[in-house]
Amino acid sequence: MPDIKAICAVLEGKIRGNPVAVSLFEKEIPPQYQGLKVDPCQILRHAMDDGTLAYFDREHQDCVHGAFITGVHEGNEQIRSGRILTDYIPAYNLDAAHALNSGKFVLPQGTVRAIGTAPLDKVPEGVEINWMAVVCTPAWACQIAAARAVEDGVQPGSAAGGSFCTDLFVSPWFEENVVLTPGDMGGRMNNKLKPEELFVIIPMRWADNLLKILGEMPDVKGIYEATRPDDSEYWSRQRAKEAKAAVRSNDEATRLAKEKGLKISMDWEVEAVELVARSPRFVRGFAVGNIEDFAEEKGYPLITRAVIEEQMESSGVGKYLKFLR
């Protein structure tokens, strides 16, 4: 049984809103769940952002295509044949459109009576969680989506060109694999995704691996150094920094850096050292090297908070500054 409390804790601050539990209701619909007449995939957002325990079924839905894909509605000829795509999206040919509306892209009719979503930590007792879904940035998605790969080496499935209802409600049932997907236009609109957000769907058999991926700190510097060839410029820079660090005066910034387990080879303001010391332990040493390399390239003789912020912005991680303040 996955450790739901620990999974929610390790995901906090890394995803948007609540991690969402997806449950297939084959016969009875738990009374705690509310039927919503919305596009089927939209029940994800209601659980994620509003904390609602929601479900859709044949009567409670506002998209026959999504209801057909999830096996709770027989659809119509236009949907079953795939013409729903070719009639309105000229890029599709009929064979491709039909393929995406059949086989492993749709749940067999009658497989479930309804499908429900709930915040992962609010699932009523006795309700089975089949898989979970989160929305996050690509930086976190690439780690979260490794929930299966770290155990058996199978990479996540990716999706594009089909319905997000398939990605969210069907593919995990057929494949029992993690799905990493941007979603289709409707799925993104219904769930109000920002341009930088992605969906990750994780079958519960792999969910506990998130505790290892996100809870155990990797040795970033160790990985980097293990991949540098002997003639890499990195090693010559490191030797030069070691030599400078060895002859540095014992000023306040240097003393503070030593207390924090950091080795600096340039002049730093105390505030700048304190800022780096607030970053996660597994990136601190690597961060010092990157900041000093940046300062040397720019010709900055003193590393200040402003220099660190400029370096972070230039490397695409400026948004994480808020966590260091």
Side-chain angles (χ1 to χ4, degrees), residues 19-270:
V20 175
V22 179
S23 298
L24 307 183
F25 303 141
E26 296 180 8
K27 296 180 180 179
E28 299 299 321
I29 301 171
Q32 299 93 331
Y33 286 73
Q34 174 186 355
L36 298 181
K37 194 169 179 59
V38 296
D39 284 31
C41 69
Q42 195 172 328
I43 64 170
L44 173 65
R45 175 169 63 83
H46 287 282
M48 175 174 61
D49 294 341
D50 305 331
T52 303
L53 280 66
Y55 74 87
F56 70 87
D57 60 7
R58 182 183 177 87
E59 290 74 34
H60 299 90
Q61 52 86 12
D62 201 37
C63 175
V64 177
H65 186 224
F68 167 75
I69 283 175
T70 52
V72 300
H73 195 290
E74 70 279 3
N76 55 39
E77 189 279 331
Q78 186 185 42
I79 289 172
R80 291 190 298 271
S81 68
R83 288 195 301 103
I84 190 69
L85 296 177
T86 59
D87 287 354
Y88 305 107
I89 308 176
Y92 285 94
N93 65 54
L94 189 56
D95 288 342
H98 177 68
L100 291 170
N101 281 271
S102 60
K104 67 178 183 179
F105 297 102
V106 299
L107 282 182
Q109 288 291 310
T111 300
V112 297
R113 176 182 172 185
I115 297 179
T117 56
L120 187 60
D121 60 353
K122 297 294 190 295
V123 176
E125 185 176 353
V127 174
E128 181 182 1
I129 305 171
N130 296 95
W131 48 85
M132 57 178 286
V134 301
V135 169
C136 57
T137 63
W140 287 118
C142 70
Q143 296 184 58
I144 293 169
R148 178 177 181 178
V150 296
E151 182 171 327
D152 67 3
V154 175
Q155 292 187 314
S158 58
S163 168
F164 177 58
C165 279
T166 295
D167 306 341
L168 180 59
F169 299 126
V170 181
S171 293
W173 187 82
F174 274 105
E175 307 291 345
E176 204 172 6
N177 193 14
V178 177
V179 177
L180 173 62
T181 176
D184 63 2
M185 185 179 299
R188 294 185 68 85
M189 290 175 59
N190 286 328
N191 289 287
K192 298 185 177 180
L193 257 67
K194 298 176 182 177
E196 67 273 16
E197 291 179 329
L198 297 172
F199 300 97
V200 187
I201 300 101
I202 307 116
M204 293 311 291
R205 67 173 295 185
W206 312 114
D208 268 342
N209 288 330
L210 295 175
L211 304 179
K212 303 174 186 177
I213 296 169
L214 302 175
E216 298 176 4
M217 296 298 99
D219 183 353
V220 176
K221 186 176 181 181
I223 293 172
Y224 185 82
E225 290 187 341
T227 61
R228 298 309 97 188
D230 292 341
D231 59 353
S232 171
E233 289 186 5
Y234 172 80
W235 298 116
S236 59
R237 291 198 304 269
Q238 288 302 104
R239 287 190 290 270
K241 288 177 182 178
E242 292 282 350
K244 289 181 181 179
V247 297
R248 280 194 56 77
S249 62
N250 194 29
D251 59 16
E252 186 178 356
T254 302
R255 290 195 298 272
L256 177 61
K258 288 179 179 178
E259 289 175 10
K260 301 297 184 180
L262 303 174
K263 187 178 291 186
I264 59 176
S265 63
M266 295 179 63
D267 290 335
W268 286 61
E269 286 188 348
V270 170

